[in-house]
Amino acid sequence: KHYLSWMIASQNSFFVEIINKQAYKLKRWDIFFPMQLVILSQWVKATFYFPIVRCIPPKYLYRIKRRVFRARSEIEHQTQAF
């Protein structure tokens, strides 16, 4: 599972393609289908996320990031309390 989060976070699609092809060849569906999701997430990042982020002025982008990450930390803090 750790390799999957690394692949999603990385921009290196070369290794993703190699792993995906080998998994398909060996019929390792437990690896192949998550790799398909990684490829899809990389495509979404490249197609939508990065172009949109480039259009947002830095001061607004900073505000958005602060709100998003603050919200995540608050959620994690609340779940840890239980």
Side-chain angles (χ1 to χ4, degrees), residues 3 19-20 22-35:
Y3 72 90
I19 292 170
N20 195 40
Q22 286 296 333
Y24 183 78
K25 187 191 275 185
L26 298 173
K27 297 184 181 184
R28 289 290 311 267
W29 309 122
D30 58 328
I31 297 173
F32 177 74
F33 290 118
M35 287 296 113

Side-chain angles (χ1 to χ4, degrees), residues 24-62:
Y24 183 78
K25 187 191 275 185
L26 298 173
K27 297 184 181 184
R28 289 290 311 267
W29 309 122
D30 58 328
I31 297 173
F32 177 74
F33 290 118
M35 287 296 113
Q36 291 297 104
L37 292 175
V38 169
I39 292 169
L40 178 64
S41 72
Q42 288 180 345
W43 178 81
V44 168
K45 278 184 185 177
T47 305
F48 299 109
Y49 176 75
F50 293 127
I52 290 172
V53 168
R54 284 189 205 112
C55 295
I56 299 172
K59 71 177 186 179
Y60 296 118
L61 187 61
Y62 178 73

